[in-house]
Amino acid sequence: DSMRAVVLTGSQRAFCAGADVNTFHEFPRDMNSIIGQNIYNSIENVRLPVIAAIEGHCLGGGLELALCCDIRYASETAKIGLTEANLSLIAAYGGMTRLPWLIGEANAKLMFYTAARLSGQEAREYGLVQKVCKPDELVDSALELAHLIATKAPRSITSGKQVIHQFR
């Protein structure tokens, strides 16, 4: 009950480089997608605001993870993209629906069709991230935002998040 916000981050090398496609054969057909969707939906629907601090690679399932977050900050050196088309896959953890909501259908198609890897600044221009930071300032900036959110009325924040999700 004392938590007010969550910051998700990875390492300097990668926020999340995506799913390990070599493990897909370990699950029954389509089960991997269902498991991933359930996990990512749980992150998206947590009552707290979730902030992604994206450094390094944020590709495929990694971008889908970032898309579940309410707010995304990226470093200048981030590489962000849905690269599934390079692997004969689609973004099956919700990326094919979440990305168009955030950046528009045409931009989402362009990113997916080309498997483009956007820089932090390019992602900002698309509206995919809300702030671009120097790599050594990224986590501190995300934590500053989390601390600011923590000063607000928790019920208001939770209710506002629910209403926004219901009407998109």
Side-chain angles (χ1 to χ4, degrees):
D1 286 338
S2 65
M3 289 185 64
R4 298 286 187 257
V6 174
V7 174
L8 290 182
T9 191
S11 67
Q12 287 182 334
R13 186 168 177 247
F15 170 76
C16 179
D20 182 355
V21 296
N22 294 321
T23 65
F24 285 0
H25 71 278
E26 296 174 13
F27 298 96
R29 185 173 176 80
D30 297 327
M31 194 60 158
N32 186 33
S33 295
I34 293 168
I35 292 169
Q37 288 170 11
N38 288 339
I39 292 169
Y40 285 24
N41 288 343
S42 295
I43 294 167
E44 181 177 57
N45 293 316
V46 71
R47 69 175 177 79
L48 301 170
V50 181
I51 304 161
I54 303 167
E55 172 69 27
H57 295 286
C58 179
L59 304 172
L63 176 53
E64 290 182 284
L65 175 61
L67 293 173
C68 295
C69 299
D70 299 295
I71 298 166
R72 285 157 300 284
Y73 281 10
S75 80
E76 298 166 334
T77 58
K79 296 293 178 211
I80 302 169
L82 286 182
T83 54
E84 285 85 351
N86 290 334
L87 304 169
S88 297
L89 301 170
I90 66 165
Y93 295 170
M96 300 306 291
T97 55
R98 288 183 180 103
L99 189 62
W101 290 333
L102 292 172
I103 67 170
E105 183 178 327
N107 284 332
K109 286 177 178 177
L110 180 61
M111 279 185 68
F112 177 70
Y113 293 169
T114 64
R117 295 177 185 209
L118 305 179
S119 68
Q121 188 56 44
E122 290 169 324
R124 173 75 175 103
E125 291 166 9
Y126 271 54
L128 182 54
V129 302
Q130 287 64 54
K131 185 174 182 177
V132 179
C133 306
K134 293 184 184 309
D136 59 339
E137 298 172 1
L138 175 65
V139 173
D140 287 341
S141 292
L143 289 171
E144 283 178 30
L145 177 60
H147 288 294
L148 175 62
I149 292 169
T151 68
K152 309 307 175 198
R155 286 187 185 151
S156 177
I157 298 297
T158 299
S159 296
K161 179 175 175 169
Q162 290 172 343
V163 169
I164 290 168
H165 282 188
Q166 286 175 351
F167 290 99
R168 62 170 171 203

